[in-house]
């Protein structure tokens, strides 16, 4: 089974600051990678995903993530955060052909207005 | 839009009670999942099902069982609720289409408190 590590438990930022959340996984084979977001009081929703091709993927709300295979990483970035980006962010991985996702512990992001 | 609904948003039960959490999806997905979400632990898989009447244990199945009698419905059962089962329970579904990497769609969650 894969394991997923998210480096930061809680990140506090001011509006317009840049955001980068780290995600590393442990699995040597081909993987699919996901970032999910959970806004306060809302259900978990997909932010972006990587299956193959260009390792830089763009998602909703100005987020992007870069897959670096040699580092087993899939870090999430946003150049300029807004107050509405306050949420919990989860990185998830599955091995190619596996139905199940392995999730990281999550990172809570608080953006101060 | 995929819609995954869960029977309750909040539930309070007493220790020892039998608890049923229900989940329904409307996208004809083959796979359905039950997770629990706890602070600092992320999402942990309890059980999943890849077809009607089929189920497999996830990472933390102890104290839980599941039922899938219809494709669109997946139930999580706590046979005898205990206080350490107080948690947020999330249901998810995904199709079998490998082209979408088995992307999962989540319901709103049920916050269960066992007293």
């Amino acid at each position: 089974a894969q394991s997923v590590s998210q480096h930061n438990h809680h990140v506090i930022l001011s509006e317009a600051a840049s955001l980068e959340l780290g995600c590393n996984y442990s699995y040597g084979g081909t993987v699919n990678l996901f970032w999910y977001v959970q806004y306060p009081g809302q259900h978990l929703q997909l932010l972006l995903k990587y299956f193959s091709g260009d390792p830089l993927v763009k998602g909703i709300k100005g987020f992007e993530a870069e897959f670096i295979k040699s580092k087993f990483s899939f870090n999430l970035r946003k150049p300029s955060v807004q107050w509405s980006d306050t949420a919990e962010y989860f990185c998830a991985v599955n091995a190619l052909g596996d139905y199940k996702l392995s999730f990281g512990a999550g990172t809570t992001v608080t953006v101060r207005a | 839009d995929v819609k995954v609904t869960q029977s309750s948003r909040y539930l309070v039960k007493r220790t020892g009670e039998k608890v049923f959490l229900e989940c329904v999806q409307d996208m004809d997905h083959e796979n359905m999942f039950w997770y629990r979400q706890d602070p600092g632990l992320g999402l942990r898989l309890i059980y999943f099902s890849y077809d009607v009447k089929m189920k497999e244990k996830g990472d933390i199945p102890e104290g839980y069982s599941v039922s899938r009698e219809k494709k669109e419905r997946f139930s999580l059962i706590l046979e005898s609720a205990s206080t350490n089962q107080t948690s947020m329970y999330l249901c998810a579904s995904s199709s079998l289409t490998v082209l979408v990497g088995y992307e999962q769609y989540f319901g709103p969650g049920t916050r269960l408190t066992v007293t």
Side-chain angles (χ1 to χ4, degrees):
Chain A
Q2 310 85 35
S3 69
V4 182
S5 173
Q6 291 184 239
H7 309 306
N8 308 99
H9 180 61
H10 194 181
V11 173
I12 302 172
L13 301 163
S14 297
E15 276 194 312
S18 64
L19 172 70
E20 180 159 359
L21 302 181
C23 172
N24 286 89
Y25 65 93
S26 64
Y27 181 73
T30 303
V31 294
N32 301 312
L33 298 151
F34 305 83
W35 275 97
Y36 282 86
V37 61
Q38 188 174 37
Y39 299 104
Q42 295 189 28
H43 64 275
L44 214 63
Q45 57 187 284
L46 185 70
L47 206 50
L48 49 77
K49 59 191 177 187
Y50 171 81
F51 298 152
S52 64
D54 188 344
L56 184 63
V57 292
K58 295 191 184 300
I60 61 172
K61 305 189 181 189
F63 284 90
E64 64 179 32
E66 185 176 12
F67 172 47
I68 303 179
K69 191 174 180 180
S70 60
K71 295 185 177 180
F72 299 91
S73 71
F74 189 55
N75 293 352
L76 181 71
R77 298 194 291 252
K78 185 169 184 178
S80 176
V81 296
Q82 301 171 310
W83 177 80
S84 58
D85 293 322
T86 294
E88 190 159 17
Y89 294 80
F90 293 93
C91 182
V93 174
N94 66 356
L96 190 66
D98 189 356
Y99 306 151
K100 297 173 292 189
L101 289 178
S102 296
F103 284 84
T107 298
T108 301
V109 173
T110 302
V111 180
R112 292 179 175 153
Chain B
D1 265 1
V2 177
K3 196 160 186 183
V4 181
T5 57
Q6 295 183 228
S7 49
S8 307
R9 288 302 300 269
Y10 300 93
L11 210 51
V12 180
K13 295 292 182 181
R14 294 188 183 274
T15 302
E17 277 193 86
K18 191 169 186 175
V19 182
F20 292 87
L21 303 182
E22 298 219 313
C23 174
V24 178
Q25 51 94 4
D26 66 358
M27 280 300 292
D28 202 35
H29 281 169
E30 292 81 4
N31 298 329
M32 295 187 75
F33 307 83
W34 276 107
Y35 295 90
R36 61 177 284 175
Q37 181 182 5
D38 299 289
L41 297 177
L43 277 71
R44 292 179 292 167
L45 182 64
I46 303 171
Y47 267 97
F48 76 100
S49 168
Y50 51 89
D51 201 351
V52 174
K53 296 191 186 295
M54 306 303 289
K55 62 185 179 185
E56 283 197 25
K57 293 180 180 179
D59 301 317
I60 51 164
E62 296 78 20
Y64 303 94
S65 62
V66 291
S67 172
R68 192 162 180 205
E69 297 296 319
K70 293 185 178 181
K71 189 175 185 180
E72 68 272 17
R73 191 179 296 268
F74 192 35
S75 301
L76 179 69
I77 303 152
L78 287 66
E79 294 290 341
S80 177
S82 63
T83 54
N84 63 12
Q85 293 178 309
T86 291
S87 186
M88 173 70 88
Y89 289 88
L90 299 181
C91 176
S93 71
S94 73
S95 78
L96 277 179
T97 307
V98 68
L99 291 174
V100 295
Y102 310 119
E103 174 187 336
Q104 292 184 18
Y105 297 83
F106 285 84
T110 296
R111 185 165 293 283
L112 173 67
T113 302
V114 183
T115 61

